[in-house]
Amino acid sequence: MEFEDAEPGTMRPGGRTARVRAAVLRAAGDAMAEGGFAHLDLADIARRAEVGKTTVYRRWGTVTSLVADLLLDMAEQSVPRSETGSLLGDLKANARLVQRTLTDPRQGALFKAMIAAAACDARTAEALHRFYDIRVREWAPCVQQAVDRGELPEGTDAHEVIRAVSAPLYYHLLTTGDRLDEAAADQAAEAAAAAARAGAYLRDA
Amino acid sequence: MEFEDAEPGTMRPGGRTARVRAAVLRAAGDAMAEGGFAHLDLADIARRAEVGKTTVYRRWGTVTSLVADLLLDMAEQSVPRSETGSLLGDLKANARLVQRTLTDPRQGALFKAMIAAAACDARTAEALHRFYDIRVREWAPCVQQAVDRGELPEGTDAHEVIRAVSAPLYYHLLTTGDRLDEAAADQAAEAAAAAARAGAYLRDA
């Protein structure tokens, strides 16, 4: 189906625009997961998405802009945080979500490609930093709730605790050939919770 | 100076071979730090190293082999571990070393480029995994010594503790735009030590 050929008036403009964006971002993610950032090509992405090439060029202009929009969409579409009632429960839910994402064939390849692209391109790095900032903000309240419940010391930096859960999972992915399993996720959550309880993430520390 | 043109018999063969390798690896590291893996070219590296092109092609054959040899050399040349007499002292020394490496303009760019290359190329990924494996093995004894001194529980996975020190530093480098400072290094060491004391890195956990 060619979105360009949709009969005028058959869809609300917002609906059509949103569907074109979804199709193009899906195609961009597929292409990036398969071949990395270096081989991305707007014409190829338009073809994969079955969207007119001019629509893609007019709307995104460059591969870098398209990848930045993909990262924004990934942040918007990401799973909301869990609330289990305990710090360890919440951090384990976060760690398992990260572990499932990084071990998913498409998502894992996509994140590796994003990190590689960000290492070479400043604008992609900015977009990737925004993605992680949005994700950290989504999960930080579970740490503040643990402070409020008295599970963690006052003055704990909630963002640092959330980053501490993801850090070993990404580090394993990038620096070892080991498969990331649920035990690694649980260990990451337990280590972050233990360090937080010991005051390692106090804002003044 | 052209190493190829060195007068026969003026250097020991081992000495000359080692000097050619050092010059070529230095040039490869410079080129990779400047332009990333994608733009590496054996002829350009030979020119930068002032070494004959045929020597480089004969000895390394491909860019991937040269990068693997560079990673091996980086592991061999890396600073040996410190022994401060306490777990926290040793882990802080390790964290500060990683932080200094990642914030050094040349080394930081080189590590980012290596991670990007490993995300796209399986052989480079293997070589990078070996590099981290060597570095983890170099520092692991300081954790075992802490177990022997009674600072950490029996059965603590020394490799996991060492990886836990580096993980947040790499994660910050790749996912935030923040500068990695000594406070971040100390926090990484303190968090790893606290989690290890709490038993988060027990091998059966």
Side-chain angles (χ1 to χ4, degrees), chain B residues 141-154:
Chain B
C142 80
V143 178
Q144 193 49 52
Q145 287 167 0
V147 173
D148 298 342
R149 283 192 302 262
E151 280 193 76
L152 290 181
E154 283 291 340

Side-chain angles (χ1 to χ4, degrees), chain A residues 129 160 172 176 187 191 200-201, chain B residues 129 160 172 175-176 187 191 200-201:
Chain A
H129 299 164
E160 281 304 315
H172 269 88
T176 80
Q187 187 179 61
Y201 302 114
Chain B
H129 299 165
E160 281 303 314
H172 270 88
T175 70
T176 79
Q187 187 180 60
Y201 302 114

